[in-house]
Amino acid sequence: MTDKQEKTILSTRDVRLWYGQKEALHGIDLDFPNKGITALIGPSGSGKTTYLRALNRMHDLEDGVTVTGSFNFNGTDIYAPTTDTVDLRKQIGMVFQQPNPFPFSIYENVIFGLRLDGVKDKAILDEAVERSLKQASVWDEVKDDLHKSALGLSGGQQQRVSIARVLAMSPDLLLLDEPTSALDPISSRNIEETLLKLREDYAMIIVTHSMSQASRISDRTAFFLSGDLIEVDQTKHIFLNPQKQETQDYVSGRFG
Amino acid sequence: MDNITKKLMQRSESTRKDTIGRAISMTALILIAIVVVSIFVFVLSRGLSTFYKDGVNVKYFLFGTTWNPSVTDPATKKPYIGALPMILGSFLVTFLSAIVATPFAIGTALFMTEIAQKRGAKIMQPIVELLVGIPSVVYGFIGLTVVVPVIRTIAGGSGFGILSGTIVLFVMILPTITSMTVDTLKSVPRHYRESALAIGATRWQMIYKVVLRAATPGILTAIVFGMARAFGEALAVQMVIGNAALMPHSLTTPASTLTSVLTMGIGNTVMGSLQNDVLWTLAMILLIMSLVFNLIVRAIGRRGAMK
């Protein structure tokens, strides 16, 4: 924490995770500021996605996964038995690798979460749709087709609608699991520009396979290797002046 | 160079095998097509002869309410061959059993796919498969010895009727609808579930608002398949419905379906007589209905695919 970052939104200590008997994360300590983008990089199987999914308890859906460690999110313990995962996931939104709008209209997709909360007021819903789609920089492209199926959009548009769907919930933290790896370069760039705009208002954690993407959009970068956190620092330090040999080797493309 | 040209101009061994393979599968296909077409031609020619050979009015046949082909109506000098009682009976048992079976089937399927996947796969799957495999005469026999007496005790009368038929058919089509619904639910992409939960849906909201909605075309298809099975089922229904070709006024009085009248009557009539021809007409209606069910399934599939 060398920078002027004011507040920590999420702080994890000694995070360990087992798939059955196999330990996949070996004690991760990481803090995230309440603004800006943190990139998690590392080769396949390094545990970065596993770690990300632990942050909003997506592992609850799988059998045989054990998570230990402390997760302090705005003062609440994510894994406390009393924590309501439904509320938690409203505050910690997640965008997946595959663009995954539901087979409904764009409008219904964006307000899906609000509908779950029982919001019925048309004015509020309309406002949320416009605001979220604008934040996700896809408003201009879809504003005339709001009631058409979201599955008719291009992959990049679908992914931005998926982002808008999460933003409509006004989450405090946004988790992005390789959001551009299934997209073509132009769509990827659109998503990156969207994320750069959101950086002012949201805390985001992005898992990415692309080191150039991490260097373009993230403020801080954490390097994972084989279930260990090797190094975390400001992005420019990680890429230009890493402290660890493994990081140096990875970012210079010597393996991975 | 010449050698290569020569080789290329000749049919190779693999091409020859390819041709043989294609010929075999084409033969099989043509054979099946011939069988299907001949069934249609045969049933249609027999079934239609009621109308053009025996001169029966189509409207009279479809909407007449008295069925007694061996007795002549003194007014029209034609046998009583109003098929409406059986047509109604068939549709009633079909729709009623589908209405009763659908909630149970969806509930069971949801339990197997969403709530207890492991137990679902271990216990429920074999049970459902077993139910599919039980011969219909067994269902009918159980209906005759268990369902009919129970209805008789509760509702009075003989116990035979549409209600007994519905109950037996409900058990028979339940596994069909269930297993097809399970397949549909399993084919709903996992990421729909994950992203619904990641937005803060409860498990029930996820099932109700995303999974079931995405699976609706498939579930409708399952129901129609179940209905097709109910509509065509003969033996089990025949054993419990009472086989009285009367207009169904009550669920617990004896009635009949197209299939039950067919199986009861086909052995007792002379080929080529009007009494025999009208049975073929009933068979024709059955055939057309199964075609309609098929078309409905296809239409649902196409509409589902468009989404």
Side-chain angles (χ1 to χ4, degrees), chain B residues 143-293:
Chain B
L144 190 63
T145 51
V146 179
V147 178
V148 170
V150 168
I151 303 279
R152 185 186 302 143
T153 316
I154 295 171
S158 65
F160 293 98
I162 295 208
L163 186 59
S164 303
T166 301
I167 291 171
V168 169
L169 280 178
F170 152 68
V171 183
M172 289 185 72
I173 65 175
L174 188 64
T176 309
I177 305 183
T178 306
S179 59
M180 285 184 69
T181 304
V182 165
D183 292 342
T184 312
L185 293 178
K186 277 186 181 159
S187 73
V188 172
R190 183 190 161 85
H191 62 68
Y192 284 172
R193 296 185 174 87
E194 284 196 339
S195 47
L197 291 172
I199 289 173
T202 61
R203 190 190 247 186
W204 170 242
Q205 285 171 327
M206 170 200 86
I207 291 173
Y208 185 64
K209 303 212 170 182
V210 177
V211 176
L212 282 183
R213 240 173 110 170
T216 302
I219 293 173
L220 286 177
T221 307
I223 295 169
V224 176
F225 261 102
M227 285 169 63
R229 179 155 191 225
F231 200 81
E233 174 54 38
L235 200 53
V237 179
Q238 186 204 321
M239 289 168 82
V240 298
I241 199 157
N243 303 308
L246 305 168
M247 285 298 281
H249 295 292
S250 147
L251 291 182
T252 50
T253 52
S256 59
T257 62
L258 293 168
T259 48
S260 70
V261 169
L262 252 177
T263 47
M264 300 285 288
I266 202 82
N268 304 327
T269 52
V270 182
M271 207 59 165
S273 66
L274 177 117
Q275 283 74 14
N276 186 263
D277 286 345
V278 288
L279 293 180
W280 282 106
T281 315
L282 297 184
M284 185 180 79
I285 295 176
L286 278 171
L287 195 65
I288 291 172
M289 275 314 295
S290 64
L291 202 68
V292 169
F293 281 126

Side-chain angles (χ1 to χ4, degrees), chain B residues 37-54 271-272 276-278 280-281 283-284 287:
Chain B
V37 169
S38 9
I39 288 176
F40 264 83
V41 169
F42 189 67
V43 171
L44 283 180
S45 69
R46 286 271 157 191
L48 287 173
S49 66
T50 306
F51 304 121
Y52 68 80
K53 199 186 91 201
D54 303 318
M271 207 59 165
N276 186 263
D277 286 345
V278 288
W280 282 106
T281 315
M284 185 180 79
L287 195 65

